[in-house]
Amino acid sequence: MKLKLLFSCLISVGITLPVFAQETVDPAIVQKIREEGLNHSKVMETAFYLTDVSGPRLAGSPGLKRAQNWAVNQLKTWGLANAKLEAWGKFGKGWEVQKNYAAITVPYYHAIIAIPKAWTPGTGGLIKGDVIVVKADSAIDLDKYKGKLQGKVVIFDTKPLVERSFKVDAARYTDEELTEMANATMQPADGRRQFDPNSPQFAAMRKLRAFQTTLRAFIHDEKAALILSQARGTDGTVFTTNGASYADTAKAVSPELETSSEDYQRILRLAKAGQKVELEADIKTQFLTDDLQGYDVVAEIPGTDKKLKEQVIMIGGHLDSWHAATGATDNAAGSAVMMEAMRILKAINFKPKRTIRIALWSSEEQGLFGSRGYVLNHFGDPKTMQLKPEQAKLSAYYNLDNGTGKIRGIYLQGDSAAGPIFKTWLEPFKDLGATTVTIRNTGGTDHQSFDAVGIPGFQFIQDAIDYGSRTHHSNQDTYDRLIEDDLKQAATIIASFVYNTSERAEMIPRKELPKAQAAN
């Protein structure tokens, strides 16, 4: 009677339950997860501590350490076991901005929007200098600037990097786009573009990079006071990058500010017109070299089945960010959702058959280092495909790292056998907009580390919102950009996926093992 009543309740809110002989969904558990995840969520509170309280979380920075320590303690508070920081290997120098002020003072005063490039030094106090335009395409062109840059603020003769656009910033997937994804066939090879290292494009790229290194070394040797570089972005948005290496052996460089396109072009126009432009700046950055190791946050809900508890399900997202803001959509959103999924499962007193493990990665932005290091330590080496015993015991890894948008489905990463399973698991969430299963691959984040050693690794399809246009790696990536209902929806669906992965009779089907990367 209770079960019939529950089915009626689910149908009344638009949930339909699938009838597949090979896969089932427990409607009572789905309802418990939905109730906790949608009506008693803590995801925004978690996101607040990871962003506003912790601050920017560049790899190796104090902000990342604050967020990591808070996450470990919070996971312990929720009752998870084995919550800790786990070293994955050497990273390099930490770095943070402690002061950042810059303004033009002649021909008039105007504070500019500018972010220090990561791993660049400060100015050593307040500096004032004339702006000088450097236009050079080769090392020979630099000769005319010898003896002329000391104490100057260098700006490059650069066109605007982004054309003005009248497209909307934020968007969700349309039904047509989702249908196209669902009907897609497998991409060639592994879904990545294949580049010829001997192609003219590669040669031009190598030449440009070599000259950029020569150019900045020249400017440093000439003792310029500061470099202004033009940031990608419009309307005051600055998409930031690094201006030097994080390696503890990296050579010294000049202070460098990544400047909004509007301020950059104004200064450049004035200077090229022969107008005197003076800029003052006071930038203080700190390098941290006491601990060069990188760390991941890990915690578990131990399995309870005698035969299955040695098997593991993992979920995760990267906790590190860039430094221009507080990394809300990239990727406090994913980290908060994954923590919330674990909280939901603990709150409903779920006793999983298999062990459930969360991992919040570091140094993802520098090359998936946290997850790659973890995979190398636990599961195997993708270069040689020498696998460790734990590799056979991991059922699946689920990742979230595409902003604040709600889940619309899942990428199979070419694992066609998992498709019918995931379609069944998404059925109870049609009313929340999650329906699409696509054979396609998606790249650029930590599920690839697992896929590389033959472990089923998946990234969820998310609405883009304004991730690519406004928040990704930018000074706009703040808590205010998060959409609460979307994060609640995502945590609820992922908690359900984790539950189903834990309880099903078999592990998630696997693709054919990839070839050793060293052989490719």
Side-chain angles (χ1 to χ4, degrees):
M1 184 66 182
K2 289 182 179 179
L3 190 59
K4 288 182 179 179
L5 180 60
L6 181 58
F7 269 89
S8 299
C9 291
L10 292 174
I11 292 170
S12 71
V13 296
I15 303 172
T16 59
L17 296 172
V19 182
F20 291 103
Q22 72 274 23
E23 204 70 33
T24 60
V25 172
D26 185 331
I29 292 295
V30 169
Q31 186 58 27
K32 281 185 178 181
I33 290 172
R34 286 176 66 109
E35 173 63 24
E36 183 62 35
L38 300 179
N39 298 325
H40 306 284
S41 176
K42 301 289 185 183
V43 70
M44 294 304 289
E45 180 180 328
T46 297
F48 165 71
Y49 279 97
L50 296 181
T51 56
D52 290 348
V53 176
S54 297
R57 303 179 308 282
L58 189 72
S61 70
L64 178 59
K65 293 183 186 300
R66 284 191 293 270
Q68 288 174 327
N69 290 331
W70 180 85
V72 168
N73 290 331
Q74 188 59 54
L75 292 166
K76 287 179 180 177
T77 299
W78 290 337
L80 273 72
N82 304 318
K84 62 182 180 180
L85 293 178
E86 180 177 323
W88 51 261
K90 182 179 178 179
F91 171 67
K93 296 181 292 187
W95 180 89
E96 71 169 348
V97 179
Q98 297 184 336
K99 187 175 185 180
N100 178 29
Y101 163 72
I104 56 173
T105 54
V106 175
Y108 44 79
Y109 178 85
H110 169 66
I112 66 173
I113 299 173
I115 311 295
K117 281 195 171 185
W119 290 287
T120 59
T123 55
L126 183 67
I127 60 103
K128 292 188 178 184
D130 292 341
V131 174
I132 182 170
V133 180
V134 170
K135 186 174 182 179
D137 298 316
S138 68
I140 297 174
D141 295 335
L142 297 176
D143 290 343
K144 60 188 173 186
Y145 298 105
K146 284 184 177 179
K148 298 180 180 180
L149 300 185
Q150 185 169 356
K152 303 295 187 182
V153 176
V154 171
I155 192 171
F156 304 110
D157 190 1
T158 308
K159 295 179 180 180
L161 298 180
V162 180
E163 295 292 333
R164 186 160 179 81
S165 171
F166 298 97
K167 294 181 180 179
V168 295
D169 267 2
R172 295 190 184 276
Y173 279 115
T174 64
D175 291 342
E176 291 76 17
E177 289 170 329
L178 291 171
T179 298
E180 180 187 356
M181 293 175 74
N183 293 335
T185 56
M186 188 58 195
Q187 297 163 313
D190 60 356
R192 295 173 295 188
R193 292 175 63 191
Q194 302 299 312
F195 291 104
D196 178 5
N198 299 314
S199 68
Q201 294 87 345
F202 251 64
M205 186 185 302
R206 284 193 295 268
K207 184 178 179 181
L208 176 61
R209 286 181 175 176
F211 176 65
Q212 287 295 323
T213 300
T214 300
L215 172 63
R216 278 166 169 72
F218 175 83
I219 292 170
H220 178 263
D221 292 343
E222 291 292 309
K223 297 181 172 55
L226 180 67
I227 298 173
L228 298 182
S229 58
Q230 182 175 212
R232 182 174 61 87
T234 59
D235 304 321
T237 296
V238 171
F239 292 92
T240 194
T241 56
N242 62 296
S245 170
Y246 48 80
D248 55 327
T249 57
K251 294 180 179 180
V253 298
S254 302
E256 185 167 355
L257 289 176
E258 209 148 21
T259 309
S260 73
S261 60
E262 294 86 359
D263 285 332
Y264 189 94
Q265 289 296 325
R266 183 199 304 198
I267 294 169
L268 181 59
R269 285 192 298 270
L270 287 167
K272 288 177 68 175
Q275 299 289 321
K276 178 180 173 64
V277 184
E278 184 180 83
L279 185 140
E280 66 178 18
D282 190 356
I283 304 161
K284 184 179 181 182
T285 64
Q286 182 180 19
F287 292 90
L288 301 107
T289 57
D290 290 344
D291 185 358
L292 301 179
Q293 294 295 299
Y295 297 89
D296 299 321
V297 174
V298 293
E300 295 179 337
I301 302 175
T304 58
D305 186 276
K306 289 183 179 181
K307 294 182 179 180
L308 300 180
K309 65 182 180 181
E310 297 299 319
Q311 297 178 6
V312 178
I313 304 106
M314 288 191 67
I315 63 172
H318 71 90
L319 190 53
D320 64 302
S321 74
W322 284 94
H323 59 289
T326 55
T329 67
D330 187 26
N331 182 34
S335 295
V337 163
M338 291 310 193
M339 289 181 68
E340 173 68 3
M342 298 297 274
R343 188 201 66 80
I344 290 169
L345 295 173
K346 288 296 293 184
I348 67 171
N349 199 32
F350 174 47
K351 306 294 184 185
K353 291 180 179 178
R354 295 178 175 89
T355 294
I356 302 167
R357 183 179 303 154
I358 183 174
L360 305 179
W361 313 113
S362 67
S363 306
E364 186 270 355
E365 298 293 1
Q366 286 67 50
L368 315 184
F369 291 161
S371 60
R372 283 178 172 170
Y374 186 91
V375 166
L376 184 63
N377 293 337
H378 287 269
F379 304 121
D381 186 347
K383 293 181 179 179
T384 63
M385 284 309 292
Q386 292 183 358
L387 304 177
K388 299 184 177 183
E390 287 182 71
Q391 190 268 1
K393 298 178 181 179
L394 186 59
S395 180
Y397 170 76
Y398 300 109
N399 195 75
L400 198 70
D401 180 24
N402 285 148
T404 189
K406 67 182 178 181
I407 287 175
R408 307 305 302 276
I410 193 167
Y411 295 97
L412 291 177
Q413 208 71 18
D415 190 349
S416 58
I421 299 168
F422 292 162
K423 286 179 181 178
T424 302
W425 293 356
L426 285 172
E427 280 290 333
F429 301 103
K430 277 186 174 180
D431 62 313
L432 300 183
T435 59
T436 303
V437 175
T438 179
I439 195 66
R440 287 179 180 172
N441 296 339
T442 187
T445 193
D446 293 292
H447 69 290
Q448 290 181 297
S449 301
F450 293 81
D451 186 62
V453 293
I455 294 170
F458 305 101
Q459 167 77 21
F460 290 93
I461 302 167
Q462 292 177 262
D463 281 330
I465 311 300
D466 54 0
Y467 188 61
S469 60
R470 192 61 57 185
T471 67
H472 181 245
H473 298 182
S474 86
N475 60 337
Q476 300 292 324
D477 195 8
T478 64
Y479 177 93
D480 311 86
R481 296 285 183 169
L482 300 176
I483 301 174
E484 182 173 359
D485 286 345
D486 285 14
L487 299 186
K488 289 179 178 179
Q489 182 254 25
T492 300
I493 291 171
I494 291 172
S496 179
F497 262 64
V498 171
Y499 166 82
N500 287 320
T501 309
S502 168
E503 300 306 286
R504 74 187 307 269
E506 305 294 334
M507 296 201 304
I508 298 299
R510 297 189 170 198
K511 300 182 293 184
E512 181 181 348
L513 275 176
K515 295 180 181 179
Q517 290 181 4
N520 291 335

